[in-house]
Amino acid sequence: MELLEEIIALYAQRADWFAGLLASHIALALTAIVISCSIGLLLGVWTAEHPWAAPPVIGLCNVLYTIPAISLLGILIPFSGIGNKTAVIALTIYGVMPMVRNTYVGLTTLDPDILEAARGMGSTRMQTLLRVKLPMAAGVILAGVRNTVVMTISVAGIASFVGAGGLGVAIYRGITIYNPAMTAAGSILIALLAIVCDLALGALERYFKKRGS
C-alpha cells in the first residue's frame, strides 16, 4: 500500500516528465512497428506466393526471435552505436516474425474454391491477391499486427539500456538509484499502453474476422 501511494505521488509530482517519456516511448515503438509491419507484410506475401521460400524465411525469423532482447541490443551497438537507432533496429527485427508468420498462414489457408472462382472470373494473380486473398486474410494478418504492437511496446522498455528514450528511462533510473516506486511507475505505464493497444486491435481483428467469414 505504501508503494502504491509513492507511485501516485510520483505521478503527481513529475507528471510532465512521465508525459514526455510516454510520448518518446510511443514515437520509438511506433517507428519500429511501422517498419516491421511493412517488411513483415511484404515478406509474408512473398513467401505465400513462393512456397519454396517459406521454410528458410520463417526459420530465420524464428532464430532471430529467440535471441534475448538485451543481447540483440548489445550485438547491434558496434554497428549502429547507442540511442534510438539501435533500439528501432532491434525492435524491428523482433516485430517482423509475427507479421511474416501470420501473413503467410492467413494467405495459405484460404478456401481454394473461392480462389479458383476468382481466377475463373478472369482475375489476374495480382488482382486475386489484392481483391480476394488479402481482404479474406485480414483478420489473421491483424492478429500478427496485434502481436507485433504489444511485443514492441513491451520490449521498448529495455531500450534505455542502450541510451534510447521512452518509459524505460524511468525503469532504468529507478533501478540505478534503488527507487522501486519509479521503476514500478514506468512499468505500469508501459503495461497500460500495451493493454490499451491490445484491446483496440483485438476489437479490430474480431471485426475483420467476422467480415471475412
Side-chain angles (χ1 to χ4, degrees):
M1 197 67 182
E2 182 180 347
L3 178 61
L4 181 59
E5 292 175 355
E6 290 180 12
I7 294 172
I8 295 173
L10 195 58
Y11 284 144
Q13 295 167 5
R14 309 195 64 176
D16 292 341
W17 185 64
F18 278 107
L21 293 182
L22 178 61
S24 176
H25 196 95
I26 292 173
L28 177 66
L30 185 61
T31 302
I33 288 167
V34 170
I35 297 174
S36 60
C37 284
S38 300
I39 295 174
L41 179 64
L42 293 175
L43 200 54
V45 170
W46 185 75
T47 53
E49 294 295 306
H50 303 83
W52 59 268
V57 170
I58 295 179
L60 177 60
C61 290
N62 283 330
V63 170
L64 293 174
Y65 198 64
T66 60
I67 300 175
I70 194 69
S71 299
L72 183 58
L73 289 169
I75 293 171
L76 291 172
I77 287 177
F79 304 98
S80 54
I82 60 174
N84 286 354
K85 181 179 179 181
T86 297
V88 168
I89 294 173
L91 292 173
T92 297
I93 291 173
Y94 273 106
V96 165
M97 172 55 194
M99 280 301 301
V100 172
R101 181 180 57 209
N102 281 59
T103 302
Y104 174 77
V105 171
L107 292 176
T108 55
T109 56
L110 299 175
D111 188 341
D113 292 336
I114 295 178
L115 302 181
E116 185 63 33
R119 288 190 288 268
M121 294 175 65
S123 298
T124 64
R125 187 173 181 177
M126 184 60 67
Q127 288 174 332
T128 301
L129 174 64
L130 297 178
R131 298 181 181 179
V132 181
K133 289 184 176 181
L134 286 176
M136 290 179 62
V140 180
I141 295 173
L142 272 173
V145 175
R146 183 179 177 184
N147 290 337
T148 295
V149 169
V150 174
M151 183 276 303
T152 301
I153 291 173
S154 301
V155 177
I158 66 170
S160 60
F161 287 86
V162 292
L167 290 165
V169 173
I171 298 174
Y172 181 72
R173 186 171 299 181
I175 293 173
T176 54
I177 65 175
Y178 191 65
N179 187 336
M182 183 174 290
T183 301
S187 302
I188 289 171
L189 288 178
I190 291 175
L192 289 176
L193 180 61
I195 290 171
V196 169
C197 291
D198 183 57
L199 291 175
L201 289 172
L204 193 62
E205 176 190 343
R206 288 190 294 272
Y207 168 76
F208 274 100
K209 281 185 176 180
K210 182 178 179 181
R211 183 180 178 182
S213 63

